[in-house]
Amino acid sequence: MIEVDRVGRSFTVGRRRTRTTVHAVQDLSFTVEAGEFVGYLGPNGAGKSTTIKMLTGILAPTSGRIQVAGLDPARRRTALARKIGVVFGQRTTLWWDLPLKDSFELIRHLYKVDRVDFRRRLDELTGLLDLAGFMNTPVRQLSLGQRMRGDVTAALLHSPAVLVLDEPTIGLDVVSKAAMREFLRRLNADHGTTVLLTTHDLGDIEKLCRRVMLIDHGRLTFDGTLDDLRATVPEETSIEDVVARLYTDGSVSP
Amino acid sequence: MVRTYLLLAWTWLRASAQYPGQLATMAIGSFAVNALDVLAIWVIFEHTGSLAGFGLAEVMFLYGSAGLSFALSDMLFGNVDRLSQHIRTGTFDTMLIRPASAFVQMAVDRFGVHRFGRTAQAAVVLGIALSQLDLPWSRAWMIPVMVVCGIVIFASVFALGGALQFLLTDAPEVANAFTYGGGTLTQYPLSVYGGELVRGVTFVVPLAFVNWQPGLFVLDRQDPFGLPYGLRFAAPLAALILAAVAAFAWRAGIRRYRSTGS
């Protein structure tokens, strides 16, 4: 479903004399099969968001090859958009001044979703994410938890095969977080939606992800199950400590 | 693309209907500010019978036709010059994940009634000028052609300005010099400017084809700069070439897009 083959992305920063090249992502390769639930971990600035942006076609890679749902994201951006769902935890993709209901209706038109399918899907998501209470509220007036549920709904109305989430639980309270996790778990289990999520919350990883990938300084440093991840640092017991060790050491020897 | 534009424009109009008072004020304000432009021209003619060889009605015609092109183009596409703002705040990323042209989404973003004020003013001026001039149909047919070509030319300049902002995220004003500068430049007969500038806006950035060259045909005037007669009919060609260049630049800009952190 997702194939990343020796992908690199560099940025030139600074002006004239101070110009340097930053390698945000280097020689990155991994494959995600249909129906997988993958957590993508890494410290701030490791290259997580850059990877997500390349997978969704926002950024073009400087080297290597990417295929998502059979398409090259940067070249086939709009075609890919119909097949994937994207959620940015840090910013909304909804229309700020529009009521949630209108945003969804607009998405139905933009994604050319059949009216009957749309109705059924929206009813399902409204039930699961408990949206009924604020359907007519403009997005700018929603709480963070409500907005996030709206964003996730918006990303799923066209029934994408792949859902990419960049920090979907950031800033959410415990209850909202638990609800969001349960929703994502069911989405993956019931619909077989392939999910890739980045997070700093290791609870997300423990509760949801059968597979974990770790990126540091733009390179993939670990790819395996949660148990494998624990086994890399046997002397630490909590997953928090394991990951903290991996971040500070910078490399993993399997 | 047209369907997406209309869909989004309608949605924004409905959203903006929440603040009707603000909308009316902005539309009227925009109309009034632009009406002052016309007053300035009228004041000039109070002191002199002609402006660089053109009478009042003729200047009004050149002003109104360029103004109409610019206003319609600004109404439909002018928002593209806010690109650097959208890049900085990260909202441009959210446009790129939608199955629709990023250019269309940028152009129509926050579409509102206030965008109509300038159009109405330019149309009124053009209407007055035409009623004074009494042009024969053998020359008047050029007017709709020149307005449409003008829209395409200004839209291309807006797109080029947007494309430039992919490189110069910190300096959107550079692009404004060409977009709004071009809009203002074409309001007067080009003969008030120097020959070098006129050659520049004829052969480099083809603003002379918005109203000047086809306008000379409509008004049946000699070209004060002695450029070939055939240029009067070259507006569609100039518009097409500029549109192709702009489309290419915009695509190149998206390929080079760097997004922001996080």
Side-chain angles (χ1 to χ4, degrees):
Chain A
M1 194 56 82
I2 302 175
E3 283 172 58
V4 176
D5 186 23
R6 279 165 293 158
V7 163
R9 170 74 211 205
S10 53
F11 296 96
T12 41
V13 291
R15 296 165 199 252
R16 290 198 189 94
R17 242 169 261 165
T18 58
R19 180 166 296 174
T20 48
T21 304
V22 177
H23 298 281
V25 168
Q26 288 182 74
D27 198 28
L28 185 70
S29 298
F30 63 84
T31 307
V32 176
E33 302 296 339
E36 278 198 88
F37 202 125
V38 183
Y40 195 39
L41 281 179
N44 294 323
K48 293 190 302 295
S49 288
T50 303
T51 310
I52 297 285
K53 284 172 186 173
M54 288 194 290
L55 293 179
T56 50
I58 293 173
L59 282 179
T62 27
S63 62
R65 206 182 59 92
I66 304 178
Q67 289 254 304
V68 178
L71 299 169
D72 177 341
R75 288 185 186 284
R76 305 288 314 282
R77 184 177 58 75
T78 47
L80 181 70
R82 290 184 205 286
K83 297 187 168 197
I84 63 170
V86 186
V87 176
F88 296 113
Q90 309 263 31
R91 64 180 67 100
T92 183
T93 60
L94 301 169
W95 288 265
W96 205 241
D97 293 315
L98 294 184
L100 210 47
K101 190 175 54 113
D102 291 12
S103 275
F104 294 156
E105 189 60 31
L106 194 51
I107 282 169
R108 181 177 87 74
H109 286 290
L110 282 181
Y111 286 80
K112 300 196 174 76
V113 183
D114 173 78
R115 196 182 289 273
V116 180
D117 291 345
F118 172 79
R119 198 66 256 167
R120 194 176 47 228
R121 188 75 168 157
L122 185 57
D123 286 345
E124 183 194 353
L125 290 164
T126 306
L128 286 172
L129 287 165
D130 198 15
L131 306 172
F134 48 91
M135 270 301 218
N136 293 310
T137 313
V139 172
R140 66 187 136 80
Q141 291 171 12
L142 298 180
S143 75
L144 182 63
Q146 292 172 331
R147 203 216 76 201
M148 194 66 89
R149 285 182 271 160
D151 260 304
V152 170
T153 305
L156 292 170
L157 284 171
H158 59 295
S159 309
V162 185
L163 179 64
V164 179
L165 306 116
D166 197 3
E167 306 190 34
T169 54
I170 194 164
L172 297 189
D173 64 60
V174 244
V175 181
S176 303
K177 219 179 246 182
M180 182 61 73
R181 285 175 186 159
E182 175 55 18
F183 172 78
L184 292 174
R185 193 194 61 72
R186 281 189 61 177
L187 178 79
N188 174 254
D190 299 350
H191 291 278
T193 308
T194 311
V195 183
L196 178 72
L197 74 85
T198 77
T199 185
H200 288 297
D201 189 322
L202 295 162
D204 292 347
I205 301 286
E206 286 189 294
K207 291 265 179 358
L208 294 170
C209 306
R210 291 186 287 280
R211 177 177 165 196
V212 184
M213 294 192 298
L214 214 138
I215 188 172
D216 200 3
H217 293 97
R219 290 175 187 278
L220 202 62
T221 52
F222 176 85
D223 185 353
T225 63
L226 197 58
D227 290 335
D228 292 342
L229 185 67
R230 276 205 189 86
T232 54
V233 191
E235 60 273 28
E236 302 286 4
T237 47
S238 87
I239 190 77
E240 296 261 345
D241 294 335
V242 171
V243 169
R245 268 287 273 283
L246 294 175
Y247 282 2
T248 40
D249 293 356
S251 66
V252 181
S253 41
Chain B
M1 295 244 281
V2 177
R3 186 182 153 274
T4 309
Y5 193 100
L6 292 175
L7 176 70
L8 288 168
W10 175 237
T11 310
W12 281 116
L13 277 174
R14 268 188 313 162
S16 66
Q18 290 178 24
Y19 314 100
Q22 187 193 353
L23 284 179
T25 326
M26 283 174 83
I28 294 167
S30 159
F31 186 94
V33 166
N34 288 294
L36 286 176
D37 270 357
V38 184
L39 200 65
I41 294 176
W42 183 74
V43 167
I44 293 172
F45 277 93
E46 280 292 287
H47 297 276
T48 167
S50 79
L51 185 60
F54 289 82
L56 177 59
E58 289 173 315
V59 172
M60 288 296 206
F61 166 73
L62 291 172
Y63 174 95
S65 55
L68 190 61
S69 293
F70 183 78
L72 284 169
S73 190
D74 191 22
M75 174 177 112
L76 295 170
F77 307 106
N79 198 58
V80 169
D81 78 357
R82 294 218 189 138
L83 181 69
S84 62
Q85 235 173 295
H86 285 268
I87 291 177
R88 273 196 304 256
T89 54
T91 40
F92 190 64
D93 284 2
T94 65
M95 293 184 188
L96 288 175
I97 64 159
R98 299 273 175 237
S101 148
F103 182 75
V104 169
Q105 291 182 73
M106 248 334 280
V108 75
D109 192 58
R110 303 195 172 273
F111 191 90
V113 189
H114 59 277
R115 296 204 200 178
F116 293 105
R118 192 173 184 145
T119 310
Q121 180 264 353
V124 168
V125 174
L126 183 60
I128 294 171
L130 289 177
S131 69
Q132 301 282 312
L133 284 169
D134 193 27
L135 297 161
W137 280 110
S138 60
R139 286 188 272 121
W141 63 266
M142 180 63 97
I143 297 167
V145 177
M146 66 194 264
V147 170
V148 170
C149 290
I151 295 172
V152 174
I153 288 171
F154 282 126
S156 306
V157 174
F158 276 118
L160 282 169
L164 194 64
Q165 293 181 31
F166 283 112
L167 298 178
L168 306 169
T169 319
D170 304 324
E173 296 79 9
V174 176
N176 287 160
F178 291 94
T179 53
Y180 290 93
T184 309
L185 181 102
T186 50
Q187 285 178 355
Y188 296 95
L190 287 189
S191 44
V192 306
Y193 304 108
E196 291 301 314
L197 182 76
V198 173
R199 263 187 288 280
V201 296
T202 306
F203 299 112
V204 187
V205 188
L207 292 171
F209 295 100
V210 169
N211 63 341
W212 175 244
Q213 284 292 346
L216 290 175
F217 172 78
V218 174
L219 300 172
D220 197 22
R221 300 289 298 247
Q222 285 262 307
D223 187 337
F225 300 98
L227 294 171
Y229 189 81
L231 285 178
R232 299 174 180 204
F233 306 99
L237 185 68
L240 271 179
I241 293 173
L242 191 65
V245 170
F248 177 80
W250 178 264
R251 277 162 187 272
I254 292 221
R255 291 288 294 179
R256 295 191 50 144
Y257 174 55
R258 303 163 52 119
S259 187
T260 45
S262 91

